[in-house]
Amino acid sequence: MTAAADPAPDGAYGPVRRKEDARFLRGQGTFVDDIQRPGMLYGAILRSPLAHARVVRVDTAAALAHPRVRAVITGETLEQRKLAWMPTLSRDVQAVLATDKVRFQGQEVACVIADDPYIAKDACEAIDVEYEPLPVIVNPRQAVAEGAPVIRDDKEGQAGNVIYDWEVGDAEGTEQAFAEADVVSRLQLHYPRSHPSPIECCGSIADFDRSTSKLTVYMTTQAPHIIRAAVALVAELPEHMIRIISPDIGGGFGNKVPVYPGYVCSILASILLERPVKWIEDKSGNLISTHFARDVYLDGEMALRRDGKILAVRMRTQADHGAFFSDAQPSKFKIGLMHSAFAAYDIPVAHMTTRGTYTNKAPGGVAYRCSFRVTEAMFFQERMMQAAAQDLGMDQAAFRRMNFVRDDDFPHRTPFGFLTDSGQYGKCLDVGLRAIGYDDFRKQQEEARSRGRLLGLGISTMTEPLGAGNSREYDILGIKMFDSAELKVHMTGKAIVRTGARGQGQGHETTWAQIVSHELGIPAEDIVVEEGDTDTAPFGMGTYASRSTPVAGAAVSMVSRKIRAKARKLAAHLLEVSEEDIEWELGRFYVRSAPDHGVTIQECAMAAYSNMPDGMEPGLENTAYYDPPNLTWPFAVYIVTVEVDPETGVWDVLNTVAVDDCGVRINPMIVEGQIMGGLAEAYAMANMQFITFDAEGNCVGSNYMDYMLPTAWETPGFELHSEVVTPCPHHPIGAKGIGECAAVGGPAAFVNAVLDALSETGVRNIDMPLLPDRVWEAITQRHDVSGAPPVRTD
Ligand code: MCN
Ligand code: CUN
């Protein structure tokens, strides 16, 4: 079967209310911490207070003396079993519990297992650890400085703190284009660390059954099958003896893709003690130690012709990966899909160099609504576009429009080598400009300026790659990126669909049922969706990079079509005509020459179990594995207007317009929810969220007093537009991903708007977050404001 769009009759797509909300709104979801197992013990983790130190001694005697403490696991315990280190998803190793050194503040040092979680936590405090502090490195500049301490001296042959140097594009061609440019525009910025902050922290319950040797783990994971493979490697158990169950998840945002030491500790403790062991991370633990996102220094330039045509782009990036290189990303690419930058524009040539470094910070980089660093790529792109237009003295919208890939220019090869396939970029921009009242606003802005008021407008336009892979190019640790769906239609015509994805709030229980319903005419309420149990779900790579609809969703439609093909044979048998004489309309087959003579899909289902033709295998179920031919490329325009108070640096959003083209929308209401959530996060990153480190490597922002999560009160209103729909040409239902678009493209629109308001000052950049003091400093001092850590504490 091919993925070519099948003209299925229109049926089930639309703003259906989310099925899962019935239980969530009643507080009846089942999250990891809701699960109780008989005889369950509880784990708590002791974390390092220091960012870099030699571990001299870990004395657990006092903790062990507590009558209700069952075990204390330390790095030493694990080392004796060769389990102190675990493989990461980027082919590095990471300490499960520290042995030789601690390498970031919050690193896991010991794990106490006790009868209840409070005793476990108290006993952690009774553990006496002697540290010998070492010099601390908190940014890539310090990491490569002369005489810098080597953070990863555990790794043979690791002389310094550089993890990789990687490049992509055409260096020579780019050089030449720059030599021929009329104008060269430059921009340097830092995309700060940000934190996914799901409401539910990470957690697991490991339950090892000695009698069957089977290990069951309930776990907050976005990718249960990948975790099963990782556990098989760490615990040296065969895969069929491991069952990972990812129950309801209270938000993931990329946080829940990697393997965490806490998971591993609960598993090892359960094997050791032969009791179920629960570990639930607390909020500070999550903020301080869990996978972060971004922390990239971007520096680049654009070669331009006087009339505005972009000739070439050059980018240099430096990524701060923290103490372990553990990003979950396609193994072929060292810095994720950063080189998807500038895909929306027709640019002949580009070159990017990138360096990854270790620092004494929690590991991270790829997480938080990013599709593998696309967030940084698009942020730099759209900030650079604004700077270039300004240098040329061109209108922001006209400069973008002039350089857009045209509607008739697909498939299009991007400057770094991706292939985009569809879009109507100009049309989306038109809709956005009209909605914001572009020309009027520019007049208002002029007029306001003459009275000392600072108004600004920021545009961000981008296409981003969502839905890895195809399996030729995308793999994680060698496991190819494809996905799957299994569909079982019961004899009554009710059905269950399972996929290899695992939603964390995106509404899969609703949208997958809608896809089946759209393909087969079975009402969505008759279809149960189940994800996240490796014993029952077909193999898949999980939910991240907005890959569920592009890959697992495609598999759902393909498996439905397999079912329809078999149902057609059953219909021919029931109607006593040959298959060629059968026509399909949603939910029903009929005889072409006698349209009243027909059978429903439900009647076919019953026949599959009670009246199948001779020689036909009974039953109505199937599985589809889907390997997408390409990524999907949604397009978005975000336009923001702001007013900045010159006295205080405080800025208010006046209006935000979003025009998202994600192809066919299965459920427009869910899509809008995704966009609104993404814009709220984009606004938070641009305006208020700051999680940084002082010179000693202390995490500044390890609680919600310091790290701000916007509520409805802080979040401005957003105006969403859905009128532009460019179906994905290779996706079976024409859908493109949407889960990350607004968080990816949004931040640049807010930042561009504030800088546009400040255009008279000559300030080119203020690093996020644009806190009032920084904006005020830019206004009064008329210089760029860089927020690069370390924050000084003396
Ligand atoms: N959808 C649709 N029509 C389309 C595209 C998508 O109706 N053309 C629907 C989908 O069927 C799905 C939802 O929109 O119900 C998001 O789909 P998709 O773009 O495929 O993204 P994923 O389901 O793969 O979700 C992952 C994405 C990522 S990577 C992060 S990070 C993120 C995000 O989703 N984390 C989230 N959105 C989140 N939303 C919630 N509530 N919680 C998270 O943790
Ligand atoms: Cu990068 S966060 Mo989402 O792809 O799970």
Side-chain angles (χ1 to χ4, degrees):
M1 249 192 259
T2 67
D6 186 336
D10 239 3
Y13 301 157
V16 179
R17 283 198 185 169
R18 302 197 336 161
K19 285 180 162 209
E20 43 272 78
D21 287 349
R23 69 174 185 282
F24 291 148
L25 291 173
R26 294 186 178 110
Q28 292 168 342
T30 305
F31 300 88
V32 170
D33 205 14
D34 293 322
I35 296 169
Q36 298 294 333
R37 304 291 301 156
M40 191 162 75
L41 302 174
Y42 298 82
I45 285 180
L46 174 71
R47 298 180 182 281
S48 167
L50 300 177
H52 199 193
R54 215 157 277 297
V55 179
V56 181
R57 187 177 53 89
V58 184
D59 184 350
T60 59
L64 271 169
H66 194 289
R68 295 180 66 198
V69 167
R70 300 298 176 123
V72 180
I73 306 174
T74 62
E76 201 184 321
T77 334
L78 296 181
E79 204 155 45
Q80 287 156 6
R81 294 174 168 79
K82 294 204 177 349
L83 290 170
W85 296 84
M86 61 180 186
T88 72
L89 297 175
S90 275
R91 295 190 196 278
D92 193 359
V93 288
Q94 176 173 353
V96 177
L97 294 174
T99 51
D100 53 338
K101 290 203 302 192
V102 286
R103 293 175 167 84
F104 66 90
Q105 186 188 51
Q107 188 179 336
E108 299 79 359
V109 175
C111 177
V112 175
I113 315 295
D115 288 350
D116 83 39
Y118 308 102
I119 293 169
K121 192 129 185 113
D122 287 348
C124 279
E125 289 178 15
I127 299 174
D128 184 18
V129 187
E130 188 185 331
Y131 296 103
E132 187 185 294
L134 294 166
V136 172
I137 291 175
V138 292
N139 62 41
R141 204 181 52 250
Q142 295 176 343
V144 297
E146 193 74 23
V150 178
I151 296 170
R152 294 301 304 279
D153 48 357
D154 58 293
K155 290 177 79 177
E156 220 170 289
Q158 179 76 38
N161 294 311
V162 174
I163 308 172
Y164 58 81
D165 277 303
W166 192 73
E167 65 177 309
V168 58
D170 174 358
E172 208 175 303
T174 304
E175 192 67 49
Q176 203 174 333
F178 271 88
E180 287 160 16
D182 297 328
V183 176
V184 172
S185 194
R186 289 201 165 78
L187 185 69
Q188 217 178 342
L189 56 85
H190 177 228
Y191 200 132
R193 281 209 158 196
S194 58
H195 194 280
S197 303
I199 295 299
E200 179 202 29
C201 300
C202 294
S204 56
I205 301 169
D207 190 354
F208 181 67
D209 182 340
R210 169 68 62 207
S211 65
T212 57
S213 293
K214 185 148 182 169
L215 172 70
T216 302
V217 193
Y218 301 87
M219 190 189 277
T220 50
T221 175
Q222 300 175 221
H225 284 96
I226 302 187
I227 295 285
R228 186 179 63 181
V231 171
L233 291 172
V234 177
E236 289 187 359
L237 276 174
E239 264 173 299
H240 67 299
M241 286 292 135
I242 304 169
R243 179 180 188 186
I244 307 292
I245 301 173
S246 179
D248 285 331
I249 300 186
F253 303 106
N255 190 160
K256 291 169 179 166
V257 181
V259 187
Y260 289 108
Y263 297 161
V264 179
C265 286
S266 71
I267 290 168
L268 297 175
S270 178
I271 294 174
L272 237 56
L273 300 169
E274 297 183 19
R275 293 271 291 272
V277 176
K278 180 189 270 190
W279 164 70
I280 300 291
E281 190 179 47
D282 60 23
K283 219 20 147 190
S284 304
N286 181 268
L287 276 157
I288 203 170
S289 76
T290 203
H291 268 224
F292 290 81
R294 340 276 190 238
D295 212 344
V296 170
Y297 294 78
L298 295 136
D299 170 9
E301 59 246 290
M302 192 174 247
L304 298 146
R305 213 164 60 194
R306 173 70 52 207
D307 67 356
K309 169 80 187 133
I310 304 170
L311 303 175
V313 173
R314 199 184 273 139
M315 282 170 77
R316 288 172 290 271
T317 77
Q318 272 189 307
D320 180 336
H321 289 278
F324 305 102
F325 183 30
S326 53
D327 303 16
Q329 62 186 350
S331 51
K332 197 171 150 185
F333 306 116
K334 289 290 182 223
I335 183 129
L337 304 185
M338 183 79 88
H339 57 306
S340 61
F342 298 98
Y345 304 106
D346 184 15
I347 300 175
V349 65
H351 184 242
M352 183 174 93
T353 56
T354 166
R355 164 168 282 189
T357 49
Y358 290 120
T359 59
N360 291 116
K361 289 149 85 172
V366 175
Y368 199 13
R369 267 190 152 162
C370 64
S371 192
F372 312 124
R373 292 203 187 269
V374 170
T375 317
E376 294 95 305
M378 297 313 152
F379 183 72
F380 183 77
Q381 165 191 307
E382 286 309 303
R383 293 281 300 108
M384 182 82 244
M385 288 301 284
Q386 167 146 317
Q390 215 174 341
D391 290 344
L392 288 166
M394 266 183 89
D395 173 74
Q396 291 293 336
F399 176 57
R400 285 176 169 78
R401 189 191 306 280
M402 167 175 184
N403 285 289
F404 273 157
V405 175
R406 291 193 323 269
D407 301 2
D408 56 4
D409 201 16
F410 292 106
H412 178 83
R413 188 65 68 183
T414 78
F416 289 111
F418 288 91
L419 201 64
T420 56
D421 49 35
S422 57
Q424 303 176 68
Y425 304 168
K427 187 172 170 189
C428 287
L429 183 59
D430 288 341
V431 171
L433 294 176
R434 211 175 313 125
I436 204 88
Y438 189 66
D439 295 333
D440 279 352
F441 186 85
R442 287 297 188 206
K443 280 184 212 130
Q444 261 182 48
Q445 190 179 17
E446 265 321 295
E447 197 261 339
R449 190 169 288 145
S450 65
R451 289 188 289 114
R453 284 177 60 204
L454 300 176
L455 301 189
L457 182 146
I459 304 179
S460 174
T461 55
M462 54 119 211
T463 181
E464 59 162 326
L466 296 183
N470 57 72
S471 67
R472 288 185 317 287
E473 286 189 285
Y474 299 94
D475 70 87
I476 290 186
L477 292 180
I479 311 169
K480 302 283 189 189
M481 298 187 81
F482 51 82
D483 230 283
S484 60
E486 177 202 75
L487 177 58
K488 294 184 174 179
V489 185
H490 309 305
M491 65 179 87
T492 54
K494 317 288 187 213
I496 177 162
V497 60
R498 295 186 171 105
T499 81
R502 197 339 149 211
Q504 320 114 47
Q506 294 90 343
H508 293 178
E509 287 172 47
T510 308
T511 45
W512 297 166
Q514 285 182 273
I515 294 176
V516 175
S517 181
H518 185 88
E519 297 285 347
L520 293 177
I522 298 173
E525 56 269 27
D526 287 354
I527 301 157
V528 168
V529 173
E530 213 181 81
E531 292 181 333
D533 182 342
T534 56
D535 264 11
T536 55
F539 183 89
M541 293 296 275
T543 290
Y544 43 87
S546 303
R547 61 189 301 280
S548 305
T549 305
V551 197
V556 173
S557 78
M558 297 310 270
V559 75
S560 303
R561 290 172 195 183
K562 286 185 180 181
I563 295 287
R564 194 163 76 213
K566 182 166 183 184
R568 179 186 291 272
K569 292 188 201 305
L570 286 157
H573 171 66
L574 295 175
L575 296 167
E576 298 177 332
V577 292
S578 80
E579 228 186 299
E580 290 72 57
D581 298 327
I582 295 277
E583 290 287 338
W584 167 252
E585 64 184 359
L586 194 61
R588 179 176 178 269
F589 293 101
Y590 60 90
V591 179
R592 185 174 305 124
S593 55
D596 290 343
H597 192 41
V599 285
T600 63
I601 187 79
Q602 288 80 2
E603 287 167 315
C604 294
M606 181 56 83
Y609 298 87
S610 61
N611 178 18
M612 52 281 184
D614 281 349
M616 181 187 274
E617 196 180 330
L620 194 55
E621 54 185 72
N622 219 319
T623 305
Y625 280 82
Y626 189 79
D627 183 3
N630 192 0
L631 299 154
T632 69
W633 295 88
F635 183 78
V637 173
Y638 304 114
I639 308 179
V640 172
T641 52
V642 297
E643 172 150 18
V644 181
D645 180 346
E647 303 290 324
T648 60
V650 170
W651 52 281
D652 288 315
V653 174
L654 304 174
N655 213 337
T656 303
V657 164
V659 187
D660 279 272
D661 175 2
C662 60
V664 173
R665 294 183 177 200
I666 302 157
N667 187 323
M669 187 173 71
I670 286 181
V671 167
E672 293 201 345
Q674 289 292 313
I675 298 167
M676 288 205 181
L679 284 173
E681 292 174 329
Y683 171 67
M685 284 183 256
N687 185 289
M688 59 183 77
Q689 284 180 340
F690 201 27
I691 191 156
T692 185
F693 295 81
D694 69 17
E696 287 81 47
N698 295 307
C699 178
V700 181
S702 58
N703 60 71
Y704 284 153
M705 294 293 283
D706 296 329
Y707 190 75
M708 184 91 171
L709 275 199
T711 64
W713 179 256
E714 289 86 16
T715 308
F718 309 123
E719 181 183 319
L720 310 186
H721 290 259
S722 57
E723 53 264 59
V724 190
V725 176
T726 317
C728 175
H730 60 74
H731 187 277
I733 59 172
K736 305 180 181 185
I738 188 67
E740 295 162 305
C741 296
V744 168
F750 291 101
V751 175
N752 280 347
V754 174
L755 284 158
D756 182 60
L758 269 49
S759 58
E760 300 283 281
T761 61
V763 170
R764 233 176 143 68
N765 184 52
I766 306 174
D767 276 338
M768 291 195 288
L770 274 63
L771 300 166
D773 59 321
R774 296 198 195 198
V775 177
W776 184 77
E777 181 182 333
I779 294 170
T780 52
Q781 308 295 313
R782 300 194 164 237
H783 61 206
D784 288 10
V785 180
S786 159
V791 172
R792 296 190 64 86
T793 45
D794 49 319

